[in-house]
Amino acid sequence: MRLKINGTALNVFEAGVENYNKTRPSLIFLHYFAGSSRAWTEVIRELEGDYHLVAPDLRGFGASDSMPENYAVKDYADDVAELISTLEIENYVLIGHSMGGKIVLALAARNPKGLQSLVLLAPSPPSSEPIKEETRAKLLQTHGNRCVATETVCKAAGGKLPGEVFERAINDNLRTSESAWKKHRSPERVLQVVREAIDLLGGIQKFVKADDTVLLKPNLTVFYGTEEGCTTDPLVIGALIRLAKEAGAARVIVGESSGEFFDSIQCMRITGVAAVAEREGAEIVDLGSDSTPNRDVKLKSGEIVPRPAPILDANVIINVPKAKTHHYEPVSGALKNWMGTCNQNWRQIHHGDDDSIKRFVEIMAHRKPDLNVVDALIAGEGDGPIANQPHWCGCILASSDPVATDVSIARLLSQEKSKITFKYAAEAELQGLGTQTNIEYVGQEIDEVKIPAWGGHEGFDYLPINFLVGTGVSLAGTIGHVKSAIDSMLRRNDLNNLIWLKGTPTIMIGNIEDPQFEEHLQEGPYLVFDDAAREEYKNDSRVHFIGGHPVLRDAMTGLLKGLGADANVGGQAIMAYEQLQRWGQHNLEYGTPARKVLTIAKPLAVTGIAVAGVVALTTLVRKFTEKSERRN
């Protein structure tokens, strides 16, 4: 049968339906890379009389549809979770072979309801496959090659497969989609691409000297992962740590001041950046915390601002933004990433006013990054900066000029003709930080690798709520921060769930009249943001008022509270679950062996996954294998 799962039509083989949701759990089989559900044909035939069995062709494999993007382990785990939900399977065992085993571990780390036990057959490690980069590069170029497919199956099976099974495995290999075949990242490949980009500028030794302290500044404004198109890829951070150490750096620090109320260290842990730093021997520091020492510096304008000591003390700073679109600027790149080098409480007060762009550009001018390395592997398109959609680009940009870097990101994402004014780049050029014109490119021509990224919605009519915007507020301030929070909830379906539970909310921002005020109160929660709002609305006991001018840090928490998203409905609980899910997935993907063991042990203990269950099913598979060998 074919089922629409997360927007992709998957081919799903189902057997033993008469045993569905009975005393024994359903068995869900996940195949190896370049395989299909047909790999389980003989096993299913042996077990279908006793179990309900489900075997999907994973996206891009077998008879399932392919997608241009989204072939990360998380995407496959999402598909399996949605498939289980769609089929309303109450209790189940996950069985994964090779890549399927990696997906099983990623899903198990989420502590999903109904999971009874796991069976891992020659599973791929949670991290990248331990193969040489030249071998990996060769494999990426052999898609659709029957000779190579035959050789691969021969080596994997040791030449012991019956003719029919052997030919089936070859055909499965050949019908794998090119997107699924090629759009995979590995630490080795990312290191190579990052090294190539910096080598075009003269090599890492041009920037990092022996005994230097190097600070890496990623974009981790929120806890969402790189595969979601929002934050800097941990593999890029890992590559830069390695290169800095190769150049003789005595100390490498990864520093961030995450957005709004988010804890920077937690964001590093949840996104996998902390795991990579631990693996590569780097430190992590919260640039936004009051516990991190700050020293006052005078900007060109004469304004005195506090600056984190790690920024001021580093010999070399490498700015590592994500290539993604933004609702206020054409892109969020090197310039906007520098806002994440400030104390969070100070930024709360000094961000979103008319002088903020000039102020933050002056802050960069005081201590400019020595190098900008842009993560454009999985770029972010759409309603940025935290509701982006992932779009594979596969590029790394490097430059010592932050202005040229951002202009180039805009070109790479096809945003150079955006209707949004490039305010940051214009101000930075005015202050002498770089140039928007006459940019010289080396390496790949940017027009050869650019992607048609979607710039996001215009206006507010796309929102499934009543959204009223008045005067006295700005897109850089309250409007943008509330919109970002709503976009994020909409992107992840949390907003629709809350509407279903609480009704259609009304969001009022700033000074505006609502002629339908009483009707809107009847429809659902009513939230008023910013001190600029009219007194009759702010003081009405039936609304939830979030004060401040602008409202920045309290935008998301105020939104959740005003929508009635308490722990019972989902608000903070939803966020906590999403954080746990990503933490587990990214630790398995990027962590040290010890970190991976600790990560998988906790969820497995919570769900009570039994070793006995694993042993029992493994015994069934072993018996079948022995029976097959006797037949041959």
Side-chain angles (χ1 to χ4, degrees):
M1 62 179 170
R2 291 182 71 79
L3 295 174
K4 197 70 170 286
I5 302 295
N6 291 328
T8 305
L10 299 187
N11 180 61
V12 181
F13 181 80
E14 186 178 27
V17 179
E18 64 276 8
N19 301 308
Y20 171 70
N21 282 344
K22 289 191 176 178
T23 54
R24 289 180 171 176
S26 297
L27 307 185
I28 300 172
F29 297 89
L30 305 182
H31 60 77
Y32 58 90
F33 180 83
S36 78
S37 58
R38 301 193 305 174
W40 301 102
T41 300
E42 287 74 22
V43 176
I44 288 174
R45 190 178 299 152
E46 196 72 17
L47 299 175
E48 63 182 334
D50 300 312
Y51 291 90
H52 173 233
L53 310 166
V54 177
D57 290 347
L58 299 170
R59 63 167 63 196
F61 298 101
S64 288
D65 286 356
S66 62
M67 298 284 283
E69 322 296 335
N70 305 340
Y71 290 97
V73 173
K74 171 191 176 298
D75 300 311
Y76 289 118
D78 287 346
D79 286 349
V80 177
E82 181 64 20
L83 174 63
I84 292 167
S85 175
T86 299
L87 295 178
E88 299 181 345
I89 297 174
E90 296 174 358
N91 297 294
Y92 56 94
V93 174
L94 292 173
I95 304 168
H97 176 207
S98 191
M99 181 186 78
K102 179 184 293 204
I103 298 167
V104 163
L105 286 173
L107 185 53
R110 302 178 182 182
N111 188 17
K113 182 180 179 181
L115 178 58
Q116 299 296 301
S117 53
L118 311 177
V119 177
L120 303 175
L121 304 176
S124 296
S127 57
S128 179
E129 290 286 351
I131 62 176
K132 294 181 179 179
E133 184 52 40
E134 54 266 31
T135 304
R136 188 186 303 277
K138 179 182 177 182
L139 287 173
L140 289 174
Q141 300 304 316
T142 57
H143 174 259
N145 187 313
R146 185 174 182 83
C147 291
V148 175
T150 303
E151 180 184 355
T152 300
V153 174
C154 280
K155 287 182 178 179
K160 297 180 180 179
L161 291 177
E164 178 187 348
V165 178
F166 183 77
E167 187 62 28
R168 184 175 67 206
I170 293 172
N171 289 334
D172 279 344
N173 183 294
L174 294 175
R175 62 180 181 154
T176 297
S177 75
E178 188 172 7
S179 294
W181 188 274
K182 291 188 174 181
K183 293 189 176 179
H184 288 270
R185 295 149 42 250
S186 73
E188 299 82 7
R189 178 57 180 149
V190 172
L191 174 61
Q192 179 185 346
V193 175
V194 172
R195 187 193 300 276
E196 288 173 357
I198 298 175
D199 282 349
L200 291 168
L201 302 178
I204 192 67
Q205 292 79 7
K206 180 178 177 180
F207 303 95
V208 179
K209 309 300 181 185
D211 298 323
D212 275 350
T213 294
V214 178
L215 187 140
L216 308 179
K217 168 58 181 76
N219 183 329
L220 304 176
T221 189
V222 71
F223 60 83
Y224 303 138
T226 188
E227 66 280 354
E228 297 172 81
C230 290
T231 52
T232 300
D233 196 321
L235 296 183
V236 175
I237 297 299
L240 288 168
I241 295 171
R242 286 197 182 189
L243 292 177
K245 286 179 174 288
E246 283 180 14
R251 186 182 180 200
V252 182
I253 303 168
V254 183
E256 172 63 305
S257 173
S258 297
E260 311 309 337
F261 63 91
F262 295 113
D263 181 284
S264 307
I265 298 298
Q266 280 296 94
C267 284
M268 288 193 227
R269 288 172 177 159
I270 294 166
T271 58
V273 167
V276 163
E278 178 185 38
R279 190 186 72 204
E280 300 294 341
E283 306 167 39
I284 60 174
V285 63
D286 185 349
L287 299 176
S289 172
D290 288 338
S291 64
T292 298
N294 277 253
R295 299 200 292 269
D296 287 344
V297 303
K298 181 183 284 188
L299 302 181
K300 189 182 298 183
S301 64
E303 184 178 1
I304 304 297
V305 302
R307 300 294 290 139
I311 290 286
L312 300 177
D313 295 338
N315 302 110
V316 179
I317 301 179
I318 302 178
N319 191 16
V320 199
K322 182 78 166 182
K324 60 181 180 178
T325 55
H326 195 283
H327 66 250
Y328 180 62
E329 290 271 296
V331 298
S332 178
L335 294 167
K336 284 190 67 65
N337 196 38
W338 218 241
M339 292 172 61
T341 65
C342 300
N343 175 275
Q344 278 186 323
N345 287 325
W346 179 88
R347 187 176 62 217
Q348 164 78 3
I349 301 170
H350 295 86
H351 174 41
D353 59 23
D354 293 338
D355 298 323
S356 63
I357 292 178
K358 181 180 179 181
R359 178 182 297 119
F360 284 105
V361 171
E362 281 191 9
I363 287 173
M364 176 177 274
H366 180 270
R367 179 56 174 99
K368 180 182 174 182
D370 301 279
L371 177 63
N372 304 278
V373 177
V374 181
D375 165 27
L377 297 176
I378 304 173
E381 64 179 354
D383 296 308
I386 63 173
N388 298 94
Q389 303 273 0
H391 192 140
W392 176 262
C393 183
C395 293
I396 295 291
L397 306 181
S399 174
S400 58
D401 182 336
V403 181
T405 295
D406 280 9
V407 171
S408 300
I409 294 172
R411 286 187 63 185
L412 185 67
L413 302 186
S414 302
Q415 299 301 305
E416 63 268 41
K417 296 182 181 179
S418 170
K419 296 178 182 178
I420 304 172
T421 306
F422 220 150
K423 303 178 186 70
Y424 269 91
E427 179 63 34
E429 185 175 44
L430 186 65
Q431 293 194 30
L433 287 177
T435 180
Q436 297 188 70
T437 57
N438 300 320
I439 301 171
E440 178 186 357
Y441 292 101
V442 291
Q444 290 280 342
E445 287 292 331
I446 201 160
D447 288 335
E448 294 178 0
V449 293
K450 68 187 298 183
I451 60 173
W454 169 50
H457 291 98
E458 295 182 17
F460 310 109
D461 291 343
Y462 68 95
L463 295 172
I465 62 177
N466 304 311
F467 197 77
L468 311 175
V469 177
T471 59
V473 288
S474 69
L475 188 59
T478 303
I479 302 171
H481 283 73
V482 174
K483 178 183 180 299
S484 289
I486 295 172
D487 282 339
S488 179
M489 294 179 70
L490 181 63
R491 158 89 165 82
R492 291 161 181 88
N493 208 40
D494 298 336
L495 182 60
N496 290 328
N497 290 335
L498 286 169
I499 290 172
W500 181 78
L501 288 164
K502 295 288 188 176
T504 302
T506 298
I507 307 293
M508 173 185 284
I509 304 174
N511 184 354
I512 189 173
E513 182 182 1
D514 182 4
Q516 298 174 283
F517 181 64
E518 294 298 332
E519 292 89 333
H520 287 157
L521 283 170
Q522 297 301 314
E523 291 178 4
Y526 202 115
L527 290 75
V528 177
F529 286 85
D530 205 283
D531 294 342
R534 298 184 181 188
E535 295 297 325
E536 62 264 33
Y537 299 121
K538 290 191 296 185
N539 297 327
D540 194 300
S541 61
R542 296 170 295 175
V543 310
H544 180 75
F545 174 61
I546 301 94
H549 184 69
V551 179
L552 304 177
R553 190 170 188 167
D554 297 330
M556 183 171 284
T557 52
L559 183 69
L560 289 172
K561 186 175 181 181
L563 292 175
D566 54 29
N568 293 326
V569 175
Q572 299 297 334
I574 289 172
M575 191 176 296
Y577 173 73
E578 289 178 346
Q579 291 175 351
L580 176 64
Q581 179 183 21
R582 290 169 174 84
W583 170 83
Q585 171 200 330
H586 295 138
N587 273 350
L588 288 173
E589 187 169 359
Y590 306 119
T592 63
R595 177 67 55 195
K596 293 168 186 174
V597 170
L598 289 172
T599 301
I600 197 66
K602 182 177 179 181
L604 293 186
V606 171
T607 49
I609 292 176
V611 175
V614 177
V615 172
L617 278 166
T618 305
T619 302
L620 279 176
V621 174
R622 187 182 300 117
K623 285 181 178 178
F624 169 71
T625 303
E626 293 169 352
K627 193 181 297 185
S628 297
E629 288 176 350
R630 286 197 297 271
R631 288 173 184 162
N632 295 328

